[in-house]
């Protein structure tokens, strides 16, 4: 397992929406922002009409002169934003969308940071366990040498006891390193959405 693959798996495990205390998802915030922008503009005309009256078919006092009347009517409404209510609403909706996007970005950064930290802890615990294993192998040889010296009468039993005690205290460090390694593996698996 490499750090790049761990980060990629963690990113794929992210939910599509941020898990936060925000009151609305990003899509809702963006829709509200677009709606507020539309409300700031001119509204569509409410009604319009156009008519042509041909007075030649109408009885008239002067039937010799053809006349045509043109009537045109148009009604439009426009919201005047005197107190900035529409503009403030559009700005607030835009800020909601930006806040949601920022929350999603911060979630992604936090997941990547936690994955990297867990991976570093895993590498550190693995390396420490390996070094401790090498030290134990050296100390086991040292205990064997001291026992041979005791058999030859060169050292006292106290020195054999001290070498054996040092060996056992070094062996005791293996368990915490193994626990730290297992903890780091579990954190990585959890961040990738597949805890064991």
């Amino acid at each position: 397992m490499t750090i790049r693959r761990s980060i990629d798996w963690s990113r794929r495990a992210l939910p599509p929406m941020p898990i936060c205390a925000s009151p609305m998802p990003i899509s809702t915030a963006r829709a509200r922002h677009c709606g507020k922008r539309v409300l700031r503009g001119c509204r569509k005309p409410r009604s319009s009409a156009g008519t042509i009256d041909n007075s030649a078919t109408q009885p008239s006092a002067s039937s010799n002169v053809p006349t045509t009347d043109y009537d045109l009517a148009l009604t439009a409404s426009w919201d005047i934003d005197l107190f900035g209510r529409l503009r403030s609403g559009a700005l607030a909706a835009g800020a909601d969308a930006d806040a949601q996007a920022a929350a999603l970005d911060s979630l992604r950064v936090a997941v990547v940071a936690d994955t990297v930290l867990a991976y570093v802890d895993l590498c550190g615990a693995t390396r420490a366990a390996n070094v401790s294993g090498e030290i134990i192998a050296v100390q086991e040889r040292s205990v064997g040498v001291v026992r041979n010296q005791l058999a030859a009468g060169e050292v006292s039993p106290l020195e054999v006891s001290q070498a054996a005690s040092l060996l056992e205290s070094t062996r005791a460090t293996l368990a915490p390193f193994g626990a730290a390694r297992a903890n780091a593996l579990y954190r990585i698996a959890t961040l990738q959405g597949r805890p064991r």
Side-chain angles (χ1 to χ4, degrees):
M1 167 184 358
T2 64
I3 191 166
R4 172 60 55 200
R5 288 179 72 192
S6 297
I7 290 172
D8 289 342
W9 287 341
S10 295
R11 281 183 177 166
R12 278 188 236 132
L14 279 173
M17 288 293 171
I19 302 169
C20 58
S22 180
M24 73 184 87
I26 292 176
S27 57
T28 306
R30 285 187 181 142
R32 289 178 85 195
H33 177 62
C34 291
K36 294 288 185 178
R37 271 199 328 210
V38 168
L39 285 178
R40 285 178 28 196
C42 174
R43 293 193 180 176
K44 293 181 181 177
R46 299 268 184 204
S47 62
S48 62
T51 59
I52 298 175
D53 289 338
N54 188 356
S55 61
T57 60
Q58 306 277 337
S60 163
S62 63
S63 59
N64 296 347
V65 180
T67 59
T68 303
D69 291 338
Y70 295 97
D71 293 332
L72 180 65
L74 176 69
T75 304
S77 65
W78 188 276
D79 279 345
I80 299 174
D81 197 7
L82 291 178
F83 301 105
R85 178 182 60 85
L86 296 175
R87 183 168 187 241
S88 298
L91 289 174
D96 284 343
D98 292 343
Q100 290 297 320
L104 182 59
D105 287 341
S106 69
L107 178 66
R108 288 182 179 136
V109 169
V111 166
V112 169
D114 287 347
T115 302
V116 170
L117 182 61
Y119 189 83
V120 168
D121 289 346
L122 173 65
C123 291
T126 302
R127 181 67 183 142
N130 291 342
V131 169
S132 185
E134 292 171 7
I135 291 172
I136 288 171
V138 169
Q139 288 179 346
E140 284 173 345
R141 286 194 301 268
S142 175
V143 168
V145 169
V146 173
R147 285 189 179 142
N148 289 339
Q149 288 176 335
L150 177 64
E154 296 176 5
V155 295
S156 68
L158 178 62
E159 291 179 42
V160 175
S161 175
Q162 288 174 343
S165 175
L166 185 61
L167 173 62
E168 293 306 318
S169 65
T170 306
R171 278 187 182 149
T173 62
L174 280 179
F177 293 141
R181 188 174 185 283
N183 185 17
L185 283 171
Y186 183 77
R187 285 168 41 210
I188 290 172
T190 302
L191 288 165
Q192 294 172 357
R194 48 184 187 87
R196 290 181 245 160

